[in-house]
Coordinates of all heavy atoms in Angstrom, one line a residue:
M1 N 41.6 -194.4 135.5 CA 41.1 -195.0 134.2 C 39.6 -194.7 134.1 O 38.9 -195.0 135.0 CB 41.4 -196.5 134.3 CG 41.0 -197.2 133.0 SD 42.4 -197.1 131.9 CE 42.0 -198.2 130.7
F2 N 39.3 -194.2 133.0 CA 37.8 -193.9 132.8 C 37.2 -195.1 132.2 O 37.8 -195.8 131.3 CB 37.7 -192.7 131.8 CG 37.6 -191.4 132.5 CD1 38.6 -191.0 133.4 CD2 36.6 -190.5 132.2 CE1 38.5 -189.8 134.0 CE2 36.5 -189.3 132.8 CZ 37.5 -188.9 133.7
Q3 N 36.0 -195.4 132.6 CA 35.2 -196.5 132.0 C 33.8 -196.0 131.8 O 33.2 -195.4 132.8 CB 35.2 -197.8 132.9 CG 36.6 -198.4 132.9 CD 36.5 -199.8 133.6 OE1 35.7 -200.0 134.4 NE2 37.4 -200.6 133.2
R4 N 33.2 -196.3 130.7 CA 31.8 -195.9 130.4 C 30.9 -196.9 131.2 O 31.2 -198.1 131.3 CB 31.5 -195.9 129.0 CG 32.3 -194.8 128.2 CD 31.8 -194.9 126.8 NE 32.4 -193.8 126.1 CZ 33.5 -193.9 125.2 NH1 34.0 -195.0 125.0 NH2 34.0 -192.8 124.6
L5 N 29.8 -196.4 131.6 CA 28.7 -197.2 132.2 C 28.1 -198.1 131.1 O 27.5 -197.6 130.2 CB 27.7 -196.4 132.9 CG 28.2 -195.5 134.1 CD1 27.1 -194.7 134.6 CD2 28.8 -196.4 135.2
P6 N 28.1 -199.4 131.2 CA 27.6 -200.3 130.2 C 26.1 -200.3 130.1 O 25.5 -200.6 129.0 CB 28.1 -201.6 130.5 CG 28.4 -201.6 132.0 CD 28.7 -200.2 132.3
H7 N 25.4 -199.9 131.1 CA 23.9 -200.1 131.1 C 23.2 -198.8 130.6 O 22.0 -198.8 130.4 CB 23.4 -200.4 132.5 CG 23.6 -199.2 133.5 ND1 24.8 -199.1 134.1 CD2 22.8 -198.3 133.9 CE1 24.8 -198.0 134.9 NE2 23.5 -197.5 134.8
V8 N 23.9 -197.8 130.2 CA 23.4 -196.6 129.7 C 23.4 -196.6 128.2 O 24.4 -196.7 127.6 CB 24.1 -195.3 130.2 CG1 23.5 -194.0 129.6 CG2 24.1 -195.3 131.7
I9 N 22.2 -196.5 127.6 CA 22.1 -196.5 126.1 C 22.1 -195.1 125.6 O 21.2 -194.3 125.9 CB 20.9 -197.3 125.7 CG1 20.9 -198.7 126.2 CG2 20.7 -197.2 124.1 CD1 19.6 -199.4 126.0
R10 N 23.1 -194.8 124.8 CA 23.3 -193.5 124.2 C 23.7 -193.6 122.8 O 24.3 -194.6 122.4 CB 24.3 -192.6 125.0 CG 23.9 -192.4 126.4 CD 25.0 -191.7 127.1 NE 26.1 -192.6 127.4 CZ 27.2 -192.3 127.9 NH1 27.5 -191.0 128.1 NH2 28.2 -193.2 128.0
E11 N 23.5 -192.6 122.0 CA 23.9 -192.6 120.6 C 25.4 -192.6 120.6 O 26.1 -191.8 121.2 CB 23.4 -191.4 119.9 CG 23.9 -191.3 118.4 CD 23.5 -190.0 117.7 OE1 22.8 -189.2 118.4 OE2 23.9 -189.8 116.6
R12 N 26.0 -193.5 119.7 CA 27.4 -193.6 119.6 C 27.8 -192.9 118.2 O 27.1 -193.1 117.2 CB 27.9 -195.0 119.5 CG 29.3 -195.2 119.3 CD 29.7 -196.7 119.3 NE 31.0 -196.9 118.9 CZ 31.5 -197.8 118.0 NH1 30.6 -198.6 117.5 NH2 32.7 -197.9 117.7
F13 N 28.9 -192.2 118.2 CA 29.4 -191.6 117.0 C 30.9 -191.4 117.1 O 31.5 -191.7 118.1 CB 28.6 -190.3 116.7 CG 28.6 -189.3 117.8 CD1 29.6 -188.4 118.0 CD2 27.5 -189.3 118.7 CE1 29.6 -187.5 119.1 CE2 27.4 -188.4 119.7 CZ 28.5 -187.5 119.9
I14 N 31.4 -190.9 116.0 CA 32.9 -190.8 115.9 C 33.2 -189.3 115.9 O 32.6 -188.5 115.2 CB 33.4 -191.4 114.6 CG1 33.2 -192.9 114.6 CG2 34.9 -191.1 114.4 CD1 33.9 -193.7 115.6
V15 N 34.3 -188.9 116.7 CA 34.8 -187.5 116.5 C 36.3 -187.7 116.0 O 36.9 -188.8 116.2 CB 34.8 -186.7 117.8 CG1 33.4 -186.5 118.3 CG2 35.6 -187.4 118.9
Q16 N 36.8 -186.8 115.3 CA 38.1 -186.8 114.8 C 39.0 -186.0 115.7 O 38.8 -184.8 116.0 CB 38.2 -186.2 113.4 CG 37.3 -187.0 112.3 CD 38.0 -188.3 111.9 OE1 39.2 -188.3 111.8 NE2 37.2 -189.3 111.7
V17 N 40.2 -186.6 116.1 CA 41.2 -185.9 116.8 C 42.5 -186.0 116.1 O 43.0 -187.2 116.0 CB 41.2 -186.4 118.3 CG1 42.3 -185.7 119.1 CG2 39.9 -186.3 119.0
D18 N 43.0 -185.0 115.6 CA 44.2 -185.0 114.8 C 44.1 -185.9 113.6 O 45.0 -186.7 113.2 CB 45.5 -185.4 115.7 CG 45.8 -184.3 116.7 OD1 45.5 -183.1 116.5 OD2 46.4 -184.7 117.7
G19 N 42.9 -186.0 113.1 CA 42.6 -186.8 112.0 C 42.3 -188.3 112.3 O 42.1 -189.1 111.4
H20 N 42.4 -188.7 113.5 CA 42.1 -190.1 114.0 C 40.7 -190.2 114.6 O 40.3 -189.3 115.4 CB 43.2 -190.5 114.9 CG 44.6 -190.4 114.4 ND1 45.1 -191.3 113.5 CD2 45.6 -189.6 114.7 CE1 46.3 -191.0 113.2 NE2 46.7 -189.9 113.9
P21 N 40.1 -191.3 114.3 CA 38.7 -191.5 114.9 C 38.8 -191.8 116.3 O 39.6 -192.6 116.7 CB 38.1 -192.6 114.0 CG 39.3 -193.3 113.5 CD 40.4 -192.4 113.4
V22 N 37.9 -191.3 117.1 CA 37.7 -191.6 118.5 C 36.2 -191.8 118.8 O 35.4 -191.0 118.4 CB 38.2 -190.5 119.4 CG1 38.0 -190.7 120.9 CG2 39.7 -190.2 119.2
D23 N 35.9 -193.0 119.4 CA 34.5 -193.3 119.8 C 34.0 -192.2 120.8 O 34.7 -191.9 121.7 CB 34.4 -194.6 120.4 CG 34.4 -195.8 119.4 OD1 34.1 -195.5 118.2 OD2 34.7 -196.9 119.8
A24 N 32.8 -191.8 120.6 CA 32.2 -190.9 121.5 C 30.7 -191.2 121.7 O 30.1 -191.9 120.8 CB 32.3 -189.4 121.0
Y25 N 30.1 -190.8 122.8 CA 28.7 -191.1 123.1 C 28.0 -189.8 123.5 O 28.6 -189.0 124.2 CB 28.6 -192.1 124.2 CG 29.0 -193.5 123.8 CD1 30.4 -193.9 123.8 CD2 28.1 -194.4 123.4 CE1 30.8 -195.1 123.4 CE2 28.5 -195.7 123.0 CZ 29.8 -196.1 123.0 OH 30.2 -197.3 122.6
E26 N 26.8 -189.7 123.0 CA 26.0 -188.6 123.3 C 26.0 -188.2 124.8 O 25.9 -189.1 125.6 CB 24.5 -188.9 122.9 CG 23.6 -187.7 123.1 CD 22.2 -188.2 122.8 OE1 21.9 -189.4 122.6 OE2 21.3 -187.2 122.6
G27 N 26.3 -186.9 125.0 CA 26.2 -186.4 126.4 C 27.5 -186.4 127.2 O 27.6 -185.8 128.2
E28 N 28.5 -187.1 126.6 CA 29.8 -187.1 127.4 C 30.7 -185.9 126.9 O 30.5 -185.3 125.8 CB 30.5 -188.4 127.2 CG 31.1 -188.7 125.9 CD 31.8 -190.1 125.9 OE1 31.9 -190.8 126.9 OE2 32.2 -190.5 124.8
T29 N 31.6 -185.6 127.8 CA 32.5 -184.5 127.4 C 33.6 -185.0 126.5 O 33.9 -186.2 126.4 CB 33.2 -183.9 128.7 OG1 34.0 -184.9 129.3 CG2 32.2 -183.3 129.6
I30 N 34.3 -184.1 125.8 CA 35.4 -184.4 125.0 C 36.4 -185.2 125.8 O 37.0 -186.2 125.4 CB 36.0 -183.2 124.3 CG1 35.1 -182.4 123.4 CG2 37.3 -183.5 123.6 CD1 35.5 -181.0 123.0
L31 N 36.7 -184.7 127.0 CA 37.7 -185.3 127.9 C 37.3 -186.8 128.2 O 38.1 -187.7 128.1 CB 37.8 -184.5 129.2 CG 38.9 -185.0 130.1 CD1 40.2 -184.4 129.8 CD2 38.6 -184.8 131.6
S32 N 36.0 -187.0 128.5 CA 35.6 -188.4 128.8 C 35.8 -189.3 127.6 O 36.2 -190.4 127.7 CB 34.1 -188.4 129.2 OG 33.9 -187.7 130.3
A33 N 35.5 -188.8 126.4 CA 35.6 -189.6 125.2 C 37.1 -189.9 125.0 O 37.5 -191.0 124.6 CB 35.1 -188.8 124.0
L34 N 38.0 -188.9 125.1 CA 39.4 -189.1 124.9 C 40.0 -190.1 125.9 O 40.8 -191.0 125.6 CB 40.1 -187.8 124.8 CG 39.8 -186.9 123.7 CD1 40.6 -185.6 123.8 CD2 40.2 -187.6 122.4
L35 N 39.7 -189.9 127.2 CA 40.3 -190.7 128.2 C 39.7 -192.1 128.1 O 40.5 -193.1 128.4 CB 40.0 -190.1 129.6 CG 40.7 -188.8 129.9 CD1 40.4 -188.4 131.3 CD2 42.2 -188.9 129.7
S36 N 38.5 -192.3 127.7 CA 37.9 -193.6 127.6 C 38.5 -194.3 126.3 O 38.7 -195.5 126.3 CB 36.4 -193.6 127.5 OG 35.8 -193.0 128.6
G37 N 38.7 -193.5 125.3 CA 39.1 -194.1 124.0 C 40.6 -194.3 123.9 O 41.1 -195.4 123.6
K38 N 41.4 -193.3 124.1 CA 42.8 -193.4 123.9 C 43.7 -193.2 125.2 O 44.9 -193.4 125.2 CB 43.3 -192.5 122.8 CG 43.1 -191.0 123.0 CD 43.6 -190.2 121.8 CE 44.1 -188.9 122.2 NZ 44.8 -188.2 121.1
G39 N 43.0 -192.9 126.3 CA 43.7 -192.9 127.6 C 44.4 -191.6 127.9 O 45.0 -191.4 129.0
F40 N 44.4 -190.6 127.0 CA 45.0 -189.3 127.3 C 44.4 -188.2 126.4 O 43.7 -188.6 125.5 CB 46.5 -189.3 127.2 CG 47.0 -189.5 125.8 CD1 47.4 -188.5 125.0 CD2 47.0 -190.8 125.2 CE1 47.9 -188.6 123.7 CE2 47.5 -191.0 123.9 CZ 47.9 -189.9 123.2
V41 N 44.7 -187.0 126.7 CA 44.1 -185.9 126.0 C 45.0 -185.4 124.9 O 44.7 -185.2 123.7 CB 43.7 -184.7 126.9 CG1 43.1 -183.5 126.1 CG2 42.6 -185.2 127.9
R42 N 46.2 -185.1 125.3 CA 47.2 -184.6 124.4 C 48.6 -184.8 125.0 O 48.8 -185.2 126.1 CB 47.0 -183.1 124.1 CG 47.1 -182.3 125.4 CD 46.8 -180.8 125.1 NE 46.8 -180.0 126.3 CZ 47.8 -179.5 126.9 NH1 49.0 -179.7 126.4 NH2 47.7 -178.8 128.1
H43 N 49.6 -184.4 124.2 CA 51.0 -184.5 124.7 C 51.4 -183.1 125.3 O 50.9 -182.1 124.8 CB 52.0 -184.9 123.6 CG 51.9 -186.3 123.3 ND1 51.1 -186.8 122.3 CD2 52.5 -187.4 123.8 CE1 51.2 -188.1 122.2 NE2 52.0 -188.5 123.1
F44 N 52.2 -183.1 126.3 CA 52.7 -181.9 126.9 C 53.5 -181.1 125.8 O 54.2 -181.7 125.0 CB 53.7 -182.3 128.1 CG 54.1 -181.2 128.9 CD1 53.2 -180.6 129.7 CD2 55.4 -180.8 129.0 CE1 53.6 -179.5 130.6 CE2 55.8 -179.7 129.8 CZ 54.9 -179.1 130.6
E45 N 53.4 -179.8 125.9 CA 54.0 -179.0 124.8 C 55.5 -179.1 124.7 O 56.1 -179.0 123.6 CB 53.7 -177.5 125.0 CG 52.2 -177.2 124.7 CD 51.3 -177.3 126.0 OE1 51.8 -178.0 127.0 OE2 50.2 -176.9 125.9
F46 N 56.2 -179.3 125.8 CA 57.6 -179.3 125.8 C 58.3 -180.6 125.9 O 59.5 -180.7 125.8 CB 58.1 -178.3 126.9 CG 57.5 -177.0 126.8 CD1 56.5 -176.6 127.8 CD2 57.7 -176.1 125.8 CE1 55.9 -175.4 127.7 CE2 57.1 -174.9 125.7 CZ 56.1 -174.5 126.6
R47 N 57.6 -181.7 126.2 CA 58.1 -183.0 126.4 C 57.1 -184.0 125.8 O 56.0 -183.6 125.3 CB 58.3 -183.3 127.9 CG 59.3 -182.4 128.5 CD 59.5 -182.9 130.0 NE 58.4 -182.7 130.7 CZ 58.3 -181.9 131.8 NH1 59.4 -181.3 132.2 NH2 57.2 -181.7 132.5
S48 N 57.5 -185.2 125.8 CA 56.6 -186.2 125.1 C 55.6 -186.8 126.1 O 54.9 -187.7 125.8 CB 57.4 -187.3 124.5 OG 58.2 -188.0 125.5
E49 N 55.5 -186.3 127.3 CA 54.6 -186.8 128.3 C 53.1 -186.6 127.9 O 52.8 -185.6 127.2 CB 54.8 -186.2 129.7 CG 56.2 -186.4 130.3 CD 56.4 -185.6 131.5 OE1 55.5 -184.9 131.9 OE2 57.6 -185.6 132.0
R50 N 52.3 -187.5 128.3 CA 50.9 -187.4 128.0 C 50.1 -186.6 129.1 O 50.4 -186.7 130.3 CB 50.3 -188.8 127.9 CG 50.8 -189.5 126.7 CD 50.3 -190.9 126.7 NE 50.7 -191.6 125.4 CZ 50.4 -192.8 125.1 NH1 49.7 -193.6 126.0 NH2 50.8 -193.4 124.0
R51 N 49.2 -185.9 128.7 CA 48.3 -185.1 129.6 C 46.9 -185.6 129.6 O 46.4 -186.1 128.6 CB 48.3 -183.6 129.1 CG 49.6 -183.0 128.8 CD 50.5 -182.8 130.0 NE 49.8 -182.0 131.0 CZ 50.3 -181.7 132.2 NH1 51.5 -182.1 132.5 NH2 49.7 -180.9 133.0
A52 N 46.3 -185.6 130.8 CA 45.0 -186.2 130.9 C 44.0 -185.2 131.5 O 42.9 -185.6 132.0 CB 45.0 -187.5 131.7
G53 N 44.3 -184.0 131.6 CA 43.5 -183.0 132.4 C 43.9 -183.1 133.8 O 44.5 -184.1 134.2
F54 N 43.5 -182.1 134.6 CA 43.9 -182.2 136.0 C 42.7 -182.0 136.9 O 42.3 -182.8 137.7 CB 45.0 -181.1 136.3 CG 45.4 -181.0 137.7 CD1 46.3 -182.0 138.2 CD2 45.0 -180.0 138.6 CE1 46.7 -182.0 139.5 CE2 45.5 -180.0 139.9 CZ 46.3 -181.0 140.4
C55 N 42.0 -180.8 136.7 CA 40.9 -180.5 137.6 C 39.6 -181.2 137.2 O 38.7 -181.5 138.0 CB 40.7 -179.0 137.8 SG 40.0 -178.3 136.2
L56 N 39.4 -181.4 135.9 CA 38.2 -182.0 135.3 C 37.0 -181.2 135.5 O 35.9 -181.7 135.4 CB 38.0 -183.4 135.8 CG 39.2 -184.4 135.8 CD1 38.8 -185.8 136.3 CD2 39.9 -184.4 134.4
M57 N 37.2 -179.9 135.8 CA 36.0 -179.0 136.0 C 36.2 -177.6 135.5 O 35.5 -176.7 135.9 CB 35.7 -178.9 137.5 CG 36.7 -178.4 138.3 SD 36.2 -178.4 140.0 CE 37.4 -177.3 140.8
G58 N 37.1 -177.4 134.5 CA 37.2 -176.1 133.8 C 38.0 -175.1 134.5 O 37.9 -173.9 134.2
A59 N 38.9 -175.4 135.5 CA 39.6 -174.4 136.2 C 41.1 -174.4 135.9 O 41.7 -173.4 136.0 CB 39.4 -174.7 137.7
C60 N 41.7 -175.5 135.5 CA 43.2 -175.6 135.4 C 43.8 -175.3 134.1 O 44.9 -175.0 133.9 CB 43.7 -176.9 136.0 SG 43.4 -178.3 134.8
Q61 N 43.0 -175.4 133.0 CA 43.5 -175.2 131.6 C 44.4 -176.3 131.1 O 45.2 -176.1 130.2 CB 44.1 -173.8 131.5 CG 43.1 -172.7 131.9 CD 43.7 -171.3 131.7 OE1 44.5 -171.1 130.8 NE2 43.3 -170.4 132.5
D62 N 44.4 -177.5 131.8 CA 45.3 -178.5 131.3 C 44.7 -179.3 130.2 O 45.5 -180.2 129.6 CB 45.5 -179.5 132.5 CG 46.7 -180.5 132.3 OD1 47.7 -180.0 131.9 OD2 46.4 -181.7 132.5
C63 N 43.5 -179.1 129.8 CA 42.9 -179.9 128.7 C 42.5 -179.1 127.5 O 41.7 -179.5 126.7 CB 41.6 -180.5 129.3 SG 40.3 -179.3 129.7
W64 N 43.2 -178.0 127.3 CA 42.9 -177.2 126.1 C 43.1 -178.0 124.8 O 44.2 -178.6 124.6 CB 43.8 -175.9 126.0 CG 43.4 -174.8 126.9 CD1 44.2 -174.3 127.9 CD2 42.2 -174.0 126.9 NE1 43.5 -173.3 128.5 CE2 42.3 -173.1 127.9 CE3 41.0 -174.0 126.1 CZ2 41.3 -172.1 128.2 CZ3 40.0 -173.1 126.4 CH2 40.2 -172.2 127.4
L65 N 42.2 -177.9 123.9 CA 42.3 -178.5 122.6 C 41.8 -177.4 121.6 O 41.4 -176.3 122.1 CB 41.4 -179.7 122.4 CG 41.8 -180.9 123.2 CD1 40.8 -182.0 123.0 CD2 43.2 -181.4 122.9
W66 N 41.8 -177.7 120.3 CA 41.3 -176.7 119.4 C 40.3 -177.4 118.4 O 40.5 -178.6 118.0 CB 42.4 -176.1 118.5 CG 43.3 -175.2 119.3 CD1 43.2 -173.8 119.2 CD2 44.3 -175.5 120.2 NE1 44.1 -173.3 120.1 CE2 44.9 -174.3 120.6 CE3 44.9 -176.7 120.6 CZ2 45.9 -174.2 121.5 CZ3 46.0 -176.6 121.5 CH2 46.4 -175.4 122.0
H67 N 39.2 -176.7 118.1 CA 38.5 -177.1 116.9 C 39.4 -176.9 115.7 O 40.2 -175.9 115.7 CB 37.2 -176.3 116.8 CG 36.2 -176.6 117.9 ND1 35.4 -177.7 117.9 CD2 35.8 -175.9 119.0 CE1 34.6 -177.8 118.9 NE2 34.9 -176.7 119.7
V68 N 39.2 -177.6 114.6 CA 40.1 -177.4 113.5 C 39.9 -176.0 112.9 O 40.7 -175.5 112.1 CB 39.9 -178.5 112.4 CG1 40.4 -179.9 112.9 CG2 38.5 -178.6 111.9
S69 N 38.7 -175.4 113.2 CA 38.5 -174.0 112.8 C 39.4 -173.0 113.5 O 39.4 -171.9 113.1 CB 37.0 -173.7 113.0 OG 36.7 -173.7 114.4
G70 N 40.0 -173.5 114.6 CA 40.9 -172.6 115.3 C 40.4 -172.2 116.7 O 41.2 -171.6 117.5
E71 N 39.1 -172.4 117.0 CA 38.6 -172.0 118.2 C 39.1 -172.9 119.3 O 39.0 -174.2 119.2 CB 37.0 -172.1 118.2 CG 36.3 -171.7 119.4 CD 34.8 -172.0 119.3 OE1 34.4 -172.3 118.2 OE2 34.2 -171.9 120.4
R72 N 39.6 -172.3 120.4 CA 40.1 -173.1 121.5 C 38.9 -173.6 122.4 O 37.9 -173.0 122.6 CB 41.1 -172.3 122.4 CG 42.0 -173.1 123.2 CD 43.1 -172.2 123.7 NE 42.7 -171.2 124.6 CZ 43.5 -170.6 125.5 NH1 44.8 -171.0 125.5 NH2 43.1 -169.7 126.3
V73 N 39.1 -174.8 123.0 CA 38.1 -175.4 123.8 C 38.7 -176.2 125.0 O 39.7 -176.8 124.8 CB 37.2 -176.3 122.9 CG1 38.0 -177.4 122.3 CG2 36.1 -176.9 123.7
R74 N 38.0 -176.1 126.1 CA 38.4 -177.0 127.2 C 37.7 -178.3 127.0 O 36.4 -178.4 127.0 CB 37.9 -176.4 128.5 CG 38.8 -175.3 129.0 CD 38.3 -174.9 130.4 NE 39.2 -173.9 131.0 CZ 38.9 -172.6 131.0 NH1 37.8 -172.1 130.5 NH2 39.7 -171.7 131.5
A75 N 38.5 -179.4 127.0 CA 37.9 -180.7 126.8 C 37.0 -181.2 127.9 O 36.1 -182.0 127.7 CB 39.0 -181.8 126.6
C76 N 37.3 -180.7 129.1 CA 36.5 -181.2 130.3 C 35.1 -180.5 130.4 O 34.3 -181.0 131.2 CB 37.3 -181.0 131.6 SG 37.6 -179.3 132.1
T77 N 34.9 -179.4 129.7 CA 33.6 -178.7 129.9 C 32.8 -178.7 128.6 O 31.6 -178.2 128.7 CB 33.8 -177.3 130.4 OG1 34.7 -176.6 129.4 CG2 34.5 -177.3 131.8
E78 N 33.3 -179.2 127.5 CA 32.5 -179.1 126.3 C 32.1 -180.6 125.9 O 32.9 -181.5 125.9 CB 33.3 -178.5 125.1 CG 32.4 -178.4 123.9 CD 32.9 -177.3 122.9 OE1 33.4 -176.3 123.3 OE2 32.7 -177.6 121.7
R79 N 30.9 -180.7 125.5 CA 30.4 -182.1 125.2 C 30.7 -182.3 123.7 O 30.7 -181.4 122.9 CB 28.8 -182.1 125.4 CG 28.5 -182.1 126.8 CD 27.0 -182.1 127.0 NE 26.6 -181.7 128.3 CZ 26.1 -182.6 129.2 NH1 25.9 -183.8 128.9 NH2 25.8 -182.2 130.4
V80 N 30.9 -183.6 123.4 CA 31.1 -184.0 122.0 C 29.8 -183.8 121.2 O 28.7 -183.9 121.7 CB 31.5 -185.5 122.0 CG1 32.9 -185.7 122.5 CG2 30.5 -186.4 122.7
T81 N 30.0 -183.6 119.9 CA 28.9 -183.6 119.0 C 29.3 -184.4 117.7 O 30.5 -184.4 117.4 CB 28.6 -182.1 118.6 OG1 29.8 -181.5 118.0 CG2 28.1 -181.3 119.8
P82 N 28.3 -185.0 117.1 CA 28.6 -185.7 115.9 C 29.4 -184.8 114.8 O 29.0 -183.7 114.6 CB 27.2 -186.1 115.3 CG 26.4 -186.1 116.5 CD 26.9 -185.0 117.4
G83 N 30.4 -185.4 114.2 CA 31.1 -184.7 113.2 C 32.2 -183.7 113.8 O 32.9 -183.0 113.0
M84 N 32.3 -183.7 115.1 CA 33.3 -182.8 115.7 C 34.7 -183.1 115.2 O 35.1 -184.3 115.2 CB 33.2 -182.9 117.2 CG 34.1 -182.0 118.0 SD 33.8 -182.2 119.8 CE 32.7 -180.8 120.0
R85 N 35.5 -182.1 114.9 CA 36.9 -182.4 114.4 C 37.8 -181.5 115.3 O 37.6 -180.3 115.3 CB 37.1 -182.0 113.0 CG 36.3 -183.0 112.1 CD 36.6 -182.8 110.6 NE 36.4 -181.4 110.2 CZ 37.3 -180.9 109.3 NH1 38.2 -181.6 108.7 NH2 37.1 -179.6 109.0
L86 N 38.7 -182.1 116.0 CA 39.6 -181.4 117.0 C 41.0 -181.6 116.7 O 41.4 -182.5 115.9 CB 39.3 -182.0 118.4 CG 37.9 -181.8 118.9 CD1 37.6 -182.7 120.1 CD2 37.6 -180.4 119.2
A87 N 41.9 -180.7 117.2 CA 43.3 -180.8 117.1 C 43.9 -180.7 118.4 O 43.4 -179.9 119.3 CB 43.8 -179.7 116.1
T88 N 45.0 -181.4 118.7 CA 45.7 -181.3 120.0 C 46.7 -180.2 120.0 O 47.3 -179.9 121.1 CB 46.3 -182.6 120.4 OG1 47.3 -183.0 119.4 CG2 45.2 -183.7 120.6
S89 N 47.0 -179.6 118.9 CA 47.8 -178.4 118.9 C 47.1 -177.3 118.0 O 46.2 -177.6 117.2 CB 49.2 -178.7 118.3 OG 49.1 -179.2 117.0
Q90 N 47.5 -176.1 118.3 CA 46.8 -175.0 117.6 C 46.9 -175.1 116.1 O 48.1 -175.2 115.6 CB 47.4 -173.7 118.1 CG 46.6 -172.5 117.6 CD 47.1 -171.2 118.1 OE1 48.1 -171.1 118.8 NE2 46.4 -170.1 117.9
P91 N 45.8 -175.1 115.4 CA 45.9 -175.2 113.9 C 46.8 -174.1 113.3 O 46.6 -173.0 113.7 CB 44.5 -175.1 113.5 CG 43.7 -175.6 114.6 CD 44.5 -175.1 115.8
G92 N 47.7 -174.5 112.5 CA 48.6 -173.5 111.9 C 49.9 -173.3 112.6 O 50.8 -172.6 112.2
S93 N 50.0 -173.8 113.9 CA 51.2 -173.6 114.7 C 52.3 -174.5 114.2 O 52.0 -175.6 113.7 CB 50.9 -173.8 116.2 OG 50.6 -175.1 116.4
V94 N 53.5 -174.2 114.5 CA 54.7 -175.0 114.2 C 55.1 -175.8 115.5 O 55.2 -175.1 116.6 CB 55.9 -174.2 113.7 CG1 57.1 -175.1 113.5 CG2 55.4 -173.4 112.5
R95 N 55.2 -177.1 115.4 CA 55.6 -177.9 116.6 C 57.0 -178.3 116.5 O 57.5 -178.6 115.5 CB 54.7 -179.1 116.8 CG 53.3 -178.6 117.3 CD 52.5 -179.8 117.7 NE 53.0 -180.1 119.1 CZ 52.6 -181.1 119.8 NH1 51.8 -182.0 119.2 NH2 53.0 -181.4 121.0
Ligands
LIG101 S1 41.0 -180.5 133.2 FE1 41.2 -178.6 134.2 S2 40.3 -177.2 132.8 FE2 39.9 -179.1 131.9

């Protein structure tokens, strides 16, 4: 379970994930924001299980997400930015 440090003052903003707002704080990774906010990153492609990343350091590819523009991103190595809009499945793909 991820928990943010309460004594650190950082800018708070919202990122959109599949059209839903998720709280994020300046300097944290997308993965940290998602695990702190909703407790998982995405659903497994072939089952309904939730995925939360595995290595947390850019090596395993378990945390791939997409910017809504279609660019793929590792949630554990990219920091959140204000206005960021992400998708948990490839934009334009059929699920
Ligand atoms: S959690 Fe392994 S690459 Fe992101």
Side-chain angles (χ1 to χ4, degrees):
M1 183 86 167
F2 270 52
Q3 291 188 333
R4 292 183 175 104
L5 298 176
H7 65 281
V8 177
I9 299 171
R10 296 174 289 172
E11 179 188 355
R12 177 180 173 224
F13 50 86
I14 299 292
V15 297
Q16 296 284 324
V17 180
D18 293 335
H20 300 288
V22 175
D23 281 337
Y25 289 83
E26 179 183 16
E28 69 183 356
T29 62
I30 297 167
L31 186 87
S32 295
L34 292 177
L35 293 181
S36 298
K38 62 182 210 170
F40 66 101
V41 175
R42 61 183 174 85
H43 286 93
F44 191 68
E45 287 88 347
F46 309 108
R47 297 185 292 240
S48 61
E49 296 171 6
R50 294 176 172 178
R51 309 294 300 182
F54 182 72
C55 71
L56 312 183
M57 61 181 195
C60 75
Q61 305 183 30
D62 193 50
C63 67
W64 284 117
L65 296 177
W66 287 262
H67 290 283
V68 293
S69 61
E71 179 186 352
R72 200 164 66 158
V73 59
R74 282 187 175 98
C76 68
T77 58
E78 183 158 326
R79 293 176 193 254
V80 291
T81 56
M84 180 176 264
R85 295 187 310 141
L86 300 165
T88 58
S89 60
Q90 186 174 10
S93 67
V94 178
R95 287 191 82 188

